[in-house]
Amino acid sequence: MLFSSSLTPRRFERKSYQSKTIIFEWDLSHEATIHEISGGGAFVSSSKFIDKGKFITLRIALPNSSSKSTILGKVVHHNETKGRKGMGVEFIDIQASAQNALIQFTR
């Protein structure tokens, strides 16, 4: 008998990455911390949980660079990982150069 899994493999490798960021939710903004990042998303902690399914904009400092990138993301889950409460954010709209920098960082 075959069993199907509801888990989808990750498209991108992820890596631990500690960086402050700003989350924009329409006209509201607040500080957050990125704990893990990949070319397709990030795990972010914040004093405010944003509802699953909501779109947010993140201003992210790219690893190994002085550049920052503005990325549209979608909150896909809430989780507690390694004692941190946070949100999984899937990147919806990201510049190719920023995504390539993140992919290179996680290799």
Side-chain angles (χ1 to χ4, degrees):
M1 177 180 218
L2 295 176
F3 294 95
S4 66
S5 173
S6 62
L7 298 177
T8 304
R10 294 184 185 278
R11 290 181 27 220
F12 300 96
E13 292 293 320
R14 63 180 170 171
K15 187 173 183 179
S16 192
Y17 178 63
Q18 299 295 311
S19 179
K20 297 291 183 190
T21 188
I22 303 290
I23 294 176
F24 298 92
E25 186 184 13
W26 293 105
D27 60 342
L28 303 174
S29 66
H30 56 278
E31 292 183 1
T33 302
I34 297 171
H35 298 282
E36 293 179 345
I37 200 160
S38 76
F43 183 75
V44 181
S45 66
S46 171
S47 61
K48 179 180 186 258
F49 265 158
I50 297 169
D51 292 337
K52 286 191 280 187
K54 295 280 184 169
F55 290 92
I56 59 173
T57 302
L58 300 116
R59 185 77 176 139
I60 295 178
L62 296 175
N64 304 323
S65 172
S66 59
S67 298
K68 289 192 175 189
S69 186
T70 301
I71 300 170
L72 176 66
K74 180 180 179 181
V75 177
V76 292
H77 68 84
H78 294 146
N79 198 358
E80 186 168 339
T81 300
K82 300 175 187 168
R84 291 184 299 264
K85 292 181 180 178
M87 303 169 281
V89 178
E90 178 184 7
F91 297 155
I92 302 298
D93 188 14
I94 180 173
Q95 291 179 329
S97 59
Q99 188 173 46
N100 287 336
L102 292 173
I103 290 168
Q104 291 301 315
F105 172 72
T106 58
R107 286 190 176 164

